[in-house]
Amino acid sequence: IKWERSDEQWDTTFLSHVLKQLPTKELLHSEFKEELLNFIENLINWTIELIEPSWSEQYSHEDNHSSLYEFSDALCNVISTICEVLPFNETYSRFVEPILLLKSEECWQLIEPLVRYCSCKLYDESIVSEDVIKILERCLDRFLQIEELKNDCYRIGKFDVFKNNTLKSLMFTRITQFDSAKRFANGNWSDIHLVMPIINKLVREAGWVGAVMQNFVQLCDHAKNDYPAEVFADQVLTVISKPKLVGWQGSTLYSRISELVQFFAERDNPLDLETGQKLLRIIDWLIDQGDRRSASLQQSELFRSIKVN
């Protein structure tokens, strides 16, 4: 059955204002829980059908979906709250997976705000929901499938605004300072271990792309007082062992990584042998790339007693 656009327009902007006023948490703990969940599920299905019609094998990019942005934003805010309150096995397949299965580029109008609001839950809530972290891990898997992260793509690393914002949300670099936050954005990164599985997978699998690595070193710079030096070393060594690094040449990545190596070495001085050797391997690689700071760092007291076989 092929549907056509109605002459009567549904005012999605007005609906977005309605969604923003919903007392979602209160409704989820009330007798109206199922009515709310069914309503949100129907909205998701309607939006998906509009973006990728079930009767069409080819998706038209001619339709202007810009009017959906405010609505998608409000809808994903509600979905993130549902994912925070209800367990993963009740939310993922019903509210999140249908969005992540979308294939057209327009899907990022839904994925980006979903990732943004879910990551914000980790900044703002006193108790971090493990189920929200699971949702973000699934969103990360979807992000890693994009064309811009494939070796044979001519647009490697050239993310549009939606994908770039998704990257920042997944790497926790989008919100740099918010004093009222419970963690991260308030300068306290002692809970970095909670999101390390997301960061670790993202940097190890996609750090060879300059834009991803730039976000990673920015994260490490913000969290450097709490970021584990050995974990950092392992992540960087994995990335620089890749056969291809795109978007690194002419960037500040080499000097910024060198600065972080020096900071971690000074912070944890004296270094344990294994961590010191890993950091020294990074320095040796940076020297091969022509980084002057690393050359002097190699001869400093921090690494003079450490040798790499």
Side-chain angles (χ1 to χ4, degrees), residues 147-159 167 203-215 238-254 257 285 289:
E147 289 292 324
E148 292 86 345
L149 292 177
K150 294 181 179 179
N151 276 312
D152 56 351
C153 178
Y154 72 95
R155 295 183 64 253
I156 296 177
K158 296 179 181 179
F159 307 128
L167 167 62
V203 69
R204 284 174 179 264
E205 294 196 20
W208 60 278
V209 174
V212 177
M213 201 63 180
Q214 290 281 7
N215 276 274
T238 299
V239 173
I240 63 178
S241 67
K242 302 287 185 181
K244 183 178 182 181
L245 299 178
V246 177
W248 283 55
Q249 197 66 34
S251 73
T252 59
L253 280 172
Y254 305 107
I257 292 173
W285 181 84
Q289 310 310 309

Side-chain angles (χ1 to χ4, degrees), residues 27 37 43 54-55 57 66 68 71 79 91 114 121 125 137 153 192-193 195 206 208 222 227 251 254 284 288 300 302:
L27 288 171
L37 296 180
L43 287 181
S54 55
W55 44 262
E57 294 183 0
S66 60
L68 284 179
F71 162 69
I79 296 172
T91 61
L114 176 63
K121 299 294 182 185
E125 300 300 326
E137 289 176 332
C153 178
I192 186 70
H193 62 279
V195 295
W208 60 278
H222 291 160
Y227 209 93
S251 73
Y254 305 107
D284 289 343
D288 291 341
S300 69
L302 295 168

